[in-house]
Amino acid sequence: MQKPLTYADAGVDIDKANDLVKTIKQIASQTPRAGVMGEIGGFGGLFSLNTANMEKPILVSSTDGVGTKLKIAFLMQVHNTVGIDLVAMSVNDVVVQGAKPLFFLDYLAMGKLDERIAIQIISGIGEGCKQAGCALIGGETAEMPGIYAENEYDLAGFAVGIVDNNKIIDGSDIRVGHKLIGLASSGLHSNGFSLVRKICFDVLNLRVDQHVEALGKSLGEELLTPTRIYVDTILKLIRDLPIHGIAHITGGGITENIVRVLPQACGVLIRKASWSRPPIFSFLQEAGRVPEEEMLRTFNNGVGMILVVPESHVEDVIERCTGMGEKAVVIGEVLERQAGRERVLWA
């Protein structure tokens, strides 16, 4: 006779998942924030808005993943940095509208739950939440036999922030003559990795543990550099200075993302020589013979955020950014849009 079967026999271990929740609770407790109610383990995360102290509070939400950068984590067997990436991709999108991130939720799916890997991932998520000043209030860990290869997984993240209605940054105050200030990225961040992997592994036949002279480190170390979280810097800037538009430079690069914050009557001129590209971008462009236009619409090329600022406040913004540890430079200006001309011009 067929022996009695359990969920564990089918590849899903409920007891192991319950043990993991205990560790997640410890990590979440290290990301406290006013407004958090209860603790992880309920059916839904609770958050009170009574601490907002705003006339017309507006919630701002964002969701994202880490993309095929995860493949590098699998090869390196290093899983804590992608947790930071996961938080960064969503909270950076929230803060560009002037919103303060409140809380974060994650979704982690694996073929077979490996507590060691899961704890590394969630520890990274906790670190990202600390950097962003938001609370980790819940999530989902799904064990899905037959869907993922051994020791592989997928991640998704969800961030919610809050901003007073009259302080939303939507680009409507941008005018011709405003300057563009670029904030340096920490490297590739979490975009363009399908092209990165094709160049590095298919064209160059490199290994992740291989030292690359042009980068000054191993390929894997460079590729797993976490996405920079700009939340603290931007919240402090918008508190004291007029920032009329902010673009997070993610998928689509500078070309596609800067136009998302511009009024219809405006275009921009960007001077490529105004900032130094980190070596990884030149390395990829040369090895893959990637056209310049493709580079600019795929990667951040060393600029993770662009601030649109009145000319009279440029020096103040750069000085403040420098004081907070950011590399900030003027990279261009806002122009009047002309028919038949691209909205993003390069010089």
Side-chain angles (χ1 to χ4, degrees):
M1 293 180 64
Q2 170 66 47
K3 74 170 185 175
L5 293 176
T6 67
Y7 210 0
D9 292 324
V12 179
D13 193 328
I14 296 174
D15 292 332
K16 188 181 290 186
N18 288 337
D19 289 340
L20 178 61
V21 170
K22 296 175 184 177
T23 302
I24 294 173
K25 285 182 178 181
Q26 296 174 357
I27 295 170
S29 69
Q30 298 169 20
T31 63
R33 201 189 195 294
V36 175
M37 300 172 63
E39 60 178 23
I40 285 178
F43 288 100
L46 302 175
F47 196 96
S48 171
L49 296 180
N50 289 336
T51 60
N53 193 28
M54 296 179 181
E55 291 183 13
K56 293 183 179 180
I58 303 296
L59 294 179
V60 181
S61 60
S62 179
T63 182
D64 210 335
V66 183
T68 60
K69 186 173 185 174
L70 293 179
K71 286 287 191 180
I72 312 302
F74 305 157
L75 291 169
M76 289 284 288
Q77 298 183 48
V78 173
H79 306 284
N80 57 326
T81 59
V82 291
I84 299 173
D85 287 307
L86 185 68
V87 177
M89 295 304 288
S90 286
V91 297
N92 282 344
D93 277 352
V94 164
V95 79
V96 298
Q97 294 175 87
K100 180 183 300 184
L102 296 175
F103 58 85
F104 188 84
L105 301 99
D106 69 284
Y107 173 80
L108 165 61
M110 313 179 81
K112 182 176 178 59
L113 180 58
D114 185 317
E115 290 180 275
R116 179 186 59 83
I117 293 176
I119 289 170
Q120 283 190 55
I121 296 166
I122 297 165
S123 295
I125 292 171
E127 172 59 29
C129 287
K130 289 179 190 176
Q131 292 182 28
C134 64
L136 175 60
I137 68 167
E140 166 72 356
T141 302
E143 198 169 11
M144 302 170 66
I147 298 295
Y148 299 97
E150 186 177 358
N151 295 326
E152 294 196 357
Y153 52 84
D154 198 10
L155 290 173
F158 313 86
V160 175
I162 194 166
V163 62
D164 210 336
N165 188 58
N166 62 5
K167 294 183 179 179
I168 295 174
I169 299 174
D170 60 7
S172 58
D173 291 328
I174 293 175
R175 299 290 182 267
V176 172
H178 278 26
K179 300 298 183 181
L180 307 182
I181 297 177
L183 302 185
S185 69
S186 55
L188 288 165
H189 286 183
S190 297
N191 298 106
F193 271 80
S194 295
L195 178 56
V196 170
R197 289 166 48 238
K198 187 169 187 63
I199 293 170
C200 292
F201 304 136
D202 295 349
V203 175
L204 297 177
N205 294 312
L206 294 174
R207 304 184 315 273
V208 288
D209 62 350
Q210 195 166 334
H211 181 84
V212 178
E213 191 67 33
L215 305 177
K217 61 184 72 171
S218 75
L219 178 65
E221 286 179 293
E222 176 66 43
L223 300 187
L224 278 189
T225 302
T227 304
R228 188 166 182 80
I229 293 176
Y230 299 91
V231 170
D232 187 57
T233 294
I234 289 177
L235 290 178
K236 288 176 179 176
L237 287 174
I238 63 177
R239 181 188 62 196
D240 301 323
L241 294 164
I243 311 295
H244 292 164
I246 310 175
H248 181 201
I249 309 306
T250 57
I254 296 174
T255 304
E256 303 289 339
N257 284 290
I258 186 60
V259 297
R260 296 168 67 180
V261 301
L262 295 176
Q264 286 299 315
C266 294
V268 292
L269 172 65
I270 300 176
R271 297 177 178 86
K272 289 184 289 186
S274 58
W275 76 93
S276 298
R277 291 189 191 185
I280 183 62
F281 298 104
S282 299
F283 173 76
L284 291 170
Q285 184 172 22
E286 292 171 11
R289 300 176 62 189
V290 183
E292 181 70 2
E293 181 181 356
E294 189 70 11
M295 290 292 297
L296 295 170
R297 65 193 297 265
T298 303
F299 302 115
N300 67 59
N301 292 282
V303 178
M305 283 277 182
I306 295 179
L307 314 177
V308 188
V309 180
E311 185 174 11
S312 58
H313 287 84
V314 167
E315 290 186 12
D316 291 338
V317 170
I318 290 179
E319 182 179 353
R320 184 73 64 88
C321 287
T322 302
M324 291 187 284
E326 302 286 355
K327 294 179 181 178
V329 295
V330 176
I331 65 171
E333 60 200 42
V334 178
L335 306 174
E336 182 178 356
R337 185 180 183 184
Q338 295 185 11
R341 190 171 72 176
E342 297 290 336
R343 295 188 73 186
V344 180
L345 302 177
W346 297 90

